Amino acid sequence: MTKNVIAVPANTILTHARDIMKAHNIHHLPVVDDNRKLLGMVNWDRLEEFFYTRFNPFASIRWQLLWLVVKTRLKDIMKRDVPTVGPDDTAERALALLESRQLRALPVVEHGKLVGIVTTSDLFNNIVSQVFTLDKSGQGIVVYEAGDGRSAEKVISCINELGIEIKRLATIAPPGAKRGDILIQLGVEDATQVVERLRALGFRAGLRPR
């Protein structure tokens, strides 16, 4: 799980929440009170849906809609009945809960407080790391929701243009995912440049832990 989880208060405006998710390249944002008690959660798709359905191309009402979006708080759109797991729960239980609820992330709660978050990508990356043996040399990256043919081709082309060797590649499709994630082991010790280039192309990408 991710321990240093980013969370925000319920009165956070949507535009600020959106900026936080973009800046930290995250797809899920837990909502907590002052004591880190979990109140709910919002994901990127929910935010995008809200922005898309509220905006209108007609100039006569555009500013009214913009005002509505800016004034709306996370507490108005967040999912409140959020299933959770504890830090001592097994990966199998978390995966079963994610699959049965068709979710992609679960808050990790201990003594009523948010202590982390676990995602389908976390679980599947862990499984693949054990089953799909990666070379110890080089560094791995993950490109989220890029498992379709066209996206995968763009990812591979980007890496080739940088002149970096692709040592291993695997595609995984967590439960509830529209598209699978791509795990790649690269022939460099620091793949930061690759991640930054992929993000510039619009992909959600990150470094895999060694």
Side-chain angles (χ1 to χ4, degrees):
M1 72 174 181
T2 301
K3 293 184 178 180
N4 297 322
V5 58
I6 297 170
V8 294
N11 64 351
T12 302
I13 61 175
L14 302 194
T15 49
H16 184 43
R18 196 184 192 194
D19 290 342
I20 290 174
M21 296 176 82
K22 278 186 175 181
H24 295 279
N25 193 39
I26 56 177
H27 196 265
H28 301 85
L29 194 59
V31 182
V32 297
D33 65 12
D34 293 339
N35 296 315
R36 297 284 290 184
K37 179 182 177 182
L38 183 69
L39 302 177
M41 191 157 68
V42 66
N43 61 33
W44 180 261
D45 292 339
R46 180 72 181 98
L47 281 179
E48 287 294 284
E49 177 187 3
F50 185 88
F51 275 87
Y52 178 78
T53 56
R54 294 305 190 276
F55 273 104
N56 190 295
F58 296 103
S60 60
I61 60 173
R62 184 176 181 83
W63 288 109
Q64 296 180 45
L65 293 171
L66 179 60
W67 178 255
L68 173 63
V69 170
V70 170
K71 293 294 289 184
T72 303
R73 310 286 170 161
L74 285 184
K75 63 184 178 182
D76 300 317
I77 70 165
M78 69 182 184
K79 179 178 176 60
R80 296 177 181 272
D81 184 21
V82 181
T84 64
V85 291
D88 295 326
D89 283 333
T90 64
E92 289 79 9
R93 181 181 184 279
L95 191 58
L97 189 55
L98 286 164
E99 186 171 10
S100 64
R101 297 290 189 93
Q102 289 295 292
L103 300 172
R104 298 207 68 190
L106 289 172
V108 182
V109 175
E110 185 175 28
H111 305 307
K113 294 185 178 182
L114 179 71
V115 296
I117 190 169
V118 61
T119 68
T120 50
S121 294
D122 293 333
L123 294 170
F124 273 76
N125 287 351
N126 180 266
I127 294 171
V128 171
S129 294
Q130 298 178 46
V131 178
F132 181 75
T133 305
L134 300 175
D135 293 340
K136 294 182 179 179
S137 61
Q139 186 168 31
I141 66 171
V142 56
V143 189
Y144 300 100
E145 298 183 349
D148 62 286
R150 182 173 298 180
S151 296
E153 183 179 352
K154 289 181 179 179
V155 170
I156 294 171
S157 295
C158 173
I159 296 172
N160 288 337
E161 288 173 3
L162 292 172
I164 295 175
E165 176 192 7
I166 296 177
K167 305 185 76 173
R168 298 287 182 90
L169 184 149
T171 301
I172 58 173
K178 296 179 181 178
R179 292 182 293 179
D181 303 333
I182 302 178
L183 278 68
I184 307 173
Q185 187 75 1
L186 299 171
V188 291
E189 293 303 318
D190 184 0
T192 303
Q193 178 188 12
V194 179
V195 169
E196 291 177 349
R197 180 69 66 87
L198 289 171
R199 288 178 179 175
L201 292 175
F203 291 102
R204 289 198 309 119
L207 298 173
R208 283 173 47 79
R210 295 180 182 273

